[in-house]
Amino acid sequence: QVQLVESGGRLVQAGGALRLSCAASGRPFSDYCLGWFRQAPGKEREFVAGISWSAINPYSPDSVKGRFTISKDNDLNTVYLQMNSLKPEDTAVYYCAATDTASRLYYKYSTYYTTEAAYQYWGQGTQVTVSS
C-alpha cells in the first residue's frame, strides 16, 4: 500500500508559477513510479508528467512541455510538479498517482503509463486555479 498526499494547489495569476508536492509513504520510494494527472471541468483526466527512480516519462502532452517539470526528492519521499508560465487552461484538480507494476525500462518507453489504469494508488487531489 502506498499513501499519497498532494499539496500546494492555490489560486494564481496567469503567467505565474506554482510548485505542487506529493508526499509518499507506506513503501520504499524506490519501489514504484509516480505520475501527475489533472482533470479540468468537463474534461477527461489527463496525464501530465511521470518519473521513475531513474528516468522521466517522455510522454507529457505538448500543452505542458517546456512549462511543467517533474522531479523528486528521495530523502523526503516527495515528488514535485513545478509549473511555470501558468495559463487559465491549466486550471484543474491535480492528482498524484503511483504504480508498482512498471519496470523502469517500460515506464520510460510504454505509453501505457500515461493512462489512469496503469496506476494503483492515488492522492486526493489539489485544486489549481489560474486567473486571467
Side-chain angles (χ1 to χ4, degrees), residues 10-33:
R10 68 193 72 178
L11 174 66
V12 63
Q13 293 284 332
L18 198 61
R19 188 179 74 166
L20 306 183
S21 299
C22 174
S25 61
R27 292 178 61 183
F29 201 53
S30 60
D31 281 0
Y32 45 88
C33 303

Side-chain angles (χ1 to χ4, degrees), residues 38 40 63-64 67-68 83-94 127-130:
R38 68 183 182 183
S63 59
V64 308
R67 299 189 299 120
F68 291 10
M83 305 184 293
N84 298 326
S85 302
L86 284 162
K87 305 174 181 179
E89 50 263 45
D90 295 319
T91 295
V93 177
Y94 284 72
Q127 176 71 49
V128 173
T129 302
V130 184

Side-chain angles (χ1 to χ4, degrees), residues 45-122:
R45 188 171 298 185
E46 68 171 342
F47 176 78
V48 175
I51 193 167
S52 71
W53 182 253
S54 59
I56 300 294
N57 187 295
Y59 299 110
S60 292
D62 290 340
S63 59
V64 308
K65 284 184 175 179
R67 299 189 299 120
F68 291 10
T69 303
I70 190 170
S71 63
K72 59 186 174 69
D73 188 321
N74 295 331
D75 294 329
L76 297 179
N77 292 337
T78 300
V79 62
Y80 304 98
L81 184 68
Q82 179 67 46
M83 305 184 293
N84 298 326
S85 302
L86 284 162
K87 305 174 181 179
E89 50 263 45
D90 295 319
T91 295
V93 177
Y94 284 72
Y95 298 90
C96 181
T99 177
D100 57 15
T101 65
S103 72
R104 295 181 180 88
L105 177 66
Y106 286 119
Y107 190 80
K108 181 177 181 179
Y109 293 107
S110 175
T111 59
Y112 175 64
Y113 295 100
T114 69
T115 70
E116 293 181 64
Y119 294 81
Q120 299 81 50
Y121 311 101
W122 293 83

